Amino acid sequence: MSLLLFACSSLGYYAHVAHGQSELVLHRRAVAKVISDPATDPKLVARLELAQQARRYASQQLGLPDNRSYTSYVDLHRPYVVWNVFVTPPYSVAPLQHCFLIAGCVAYRGYFEEAKAKREAARWQGQGDDVWVGGVPAYSTLGWFSDPVLSSMLRWDDDELAGTIFHELAHQLIYVKDDSAFNESFAGFVQAEGLRAWRQSRGLPPSEARHQAMDDGFTRMALDLRDRLQTLYSSGVTAAAMAEGKQHEIEAFRERYRQWRERDWPNEHRYDAWVAAPINNARLLPFGLYDRWQPAFAVIFRQAQNNWSAFYGRVRELGRMPQAEREKTLQSLLNTVAQGDGAGG
């Protein structure tokens, strides 16, 4: 997921974002009209009908905004709606922050054109920085526009489509400036818990836990690599030693991945291409962004007796706290989860 709102650092970039957003507004069609059009592919009709069912469920059962978002459709004629550019210094895992008038500061800059994203990445790379460009199928305007269902979203399976609608509407409900980990973890929890309830309401079994277990395991490995690199970069060694150590840590990560996959997931290869491709600091940035505080939000939801309204009230209280106090509270909740796991183990 991504946010794309009103950059204040560059008039040229603002013009690009304004043009890209206006193109979406210009080309959107009401979902009801697309569905009723006899020329519409039946497969597209089925996906859009599912999206509308998820949209209604989000407002009626999850307490998410009831507005015009996801009631229109845009065929992008491209695989992604935007491409995000992540940048870090060569010997740091801290992202270059980009600040926006409404969304606050985030760790990426989004472009509606892949070529523009690649040119921006090349500019930073030419200065010696680490860069990564990642395609994004959906983004949120935090309710400033009626976000449409995008053709890029329909390439996902049913769970990912419904979950993304829950996730993006959660951003519209509660969003705290300059705290991506809080915002994404909150929306990620709403997505996961909302999807669990959604499947149950449709008489479907729980989602396949095996895939989630592999995703969680790989995320832990990537975060471990990031921690190892951070330790190296703060060790005080020379730049030459950091460059050599950086490559050593990346190759060691590849070997740990190979052993882990062969031991625990011998028939799963969905991360092989990621590991084989070039790895740098910027490519590691998205890991942990979406789930750092999710277990803490799960505790808050249980404390609210699984009541969405009470849960959102508590989340809003957290959002009003100074960031340091908010993170201290969330960390305390995480500690209770860890203690519970230890007691149960």
Side-chain angles (χ1 to χ4, degrees):
M1 300 1 148
S2 177
L3 300 163
L4 198 67
L5 281 174
F6 311 126
C8 54
S9 59
S10 164
L11 288 176
Y13 179 74
Y14 173 83
H16 168 72
V17 169
H19 176 73
Q21 179 62 40
S22 66
E23 283 289 297
L24 293 187
V25 172
L26 181 65
H27 290 99
R28 66 188 179 187
R29 297 174 61 198
V31 168
K33 289 186 177 179
V34 177
I35 290 175
S36 63
D37 187 341
T40 303
D41 187 319
K43 291 182 180 178
L44 175 58
V45 169
R47 302 311 315 284
L48 290 176
E49 286 178 339
L50 178 79
Q52 295 312 281
Q53 292 164 11
R55 179 67 190 83
R56 288 190 293 273
Y57 186 86
S59 296
Q60 295 172 3
Q61 302 300 325
L62 304 182
L64 293 171
D66 187 4
N67 54 31
R68 293 177 60 192
S69 288
Y70 307 109
T71 62
S72 62
Y73 172 69
V74 175
D75 188 346
L76 295 171
H77 303 289
R78 60 181 189 263
Y80 299 107
V81 61
V82 295
W83 285 262
N84 283 344
V85 179
F86 294 85
V87 181
T88 71
Y91 304 122
S92 172
V93 295
L96 174 70
Q97 294 282 337
H98 300 279
C99 296
F100 298 76
L101 293 178
I102 296 170
C105 297
V106 294
Y108 53 81
R109 209 173 188 186
Y111 292 82
F112 283 94
E113 298 175 25
E114 185 179 17
K116 284 184 178 290
K118 288 184 174 180
R119 285 198 296 271
E120 175 71 359
R123 183 175 72 84
W124 288 102
Q125 196 168 29
Q127 298 177 21
D129 292 303
D130 279 9
V131 300
W132 179 62
V133 178
V136 179
Y139 73 84
S140 174
T141 60
L142 302 180
W144 284 81
F145 297 92
S146 298
D147 296 326
V149 176
L150 303 169
S151 55
S152 51
M153 297 166 59
L154 301 183
R155 294 186 293 124
W156 295 324
D157 63 21
D158 290 354
D159 280 1
E160 194 68 22
L161 174 59
T164 297
I165 291 172
F166 302 158
H167 183 109
E168 302 299 355
L169 288 173
H171 279 317
Q172 291 187 19
L173 185 69
I174 299 174
Y175 183 85
V176 177
K177 269 191 173 183
D178 304 327
D179 197 340
S180 294
F182 178 86
N183 294 322
E184 296 300 345
S185 294
F186 162 68
F189 172 77
V190 173
Q191 175 176 350
E193 181 60 28
L195 187 59
R196 185 202 62 76
W198 157 259
R199 288 184 63 88
Q200 186 178 53
S201 74
R202 296 167 66 83
L204 299 172
S207 298
E208 175 59 59
R210 178 175 172 79
H211 283 179
Q212 187 62 49
M214 187 180 188
D215 291 344
D216 292 345
F218 186 77
T219 296
R220 285 192 295 270
M221 293 185 69
L223 291 174
D224 176 67
L225 171 59
R226 196 165 71 188
D227 289 344
R228 289 169 184 260
L229 290 173
Q230 178 58 45
T231 299
L232 169 67
Y233 301 151
S234 59
S235 65
V237 299
T238 65
M242 279 194 283
E244 182 180 351
K246 179 180 182 179
Q247 292 309 309
H248 170 76
E249 289 293 356
I250 290 171
E251 290 308 314
F253 163 80
R254 288 191 170 108
E255 178 59 23
R256 288 194 299 275
Y257 168 78
R258 184 190 64 79
Q259 295 178 6
W260 172 74
R261 188 183 61 74
E262 289 182 357
R263 183 186 67 244
D264 298 338
W265 310 95
N267 299 315
E268 294 282 355
H269 299 277
R270 51 204 169 98
Y271 286 108
D272 288 7
W274 193 99
V275 173
I279 297 173
N280 61 24
N281 303 324
R283 200 151 179 248
L284 295 170
L285 286 178
F287 287 95
L289 180 64
Y290 289 86
D291 56 9
R292 178 183 177 188
W293 301 121
Q294 275 197 41
F297 284 111
V299 173
I300 296 171
F301 190 66
R302 290 197 299 271
Q303 291 175 345
Q305 298 182 331
N306 297 1
N307 179 282
W308 286 105
S309 179
F311 169 70
Y312 295 142
R314 177 59 177 143
V315 173
R316 288 190 179 93
E317 290 176 5
L318 283 170
R320 288 191 289 267
M321 293 179 179
Q323 186 165 350
E325 183 182 351
R326 179 165 59 246
E327 291 190 355
K328 183 179 179 181
T329 301
L330 290 167
Q331 186 59 55
S332 177
L333 292 168
L334 281 188
N335 293 341
T336 67
V337 175
Q339 291 167 3
D341 288 346

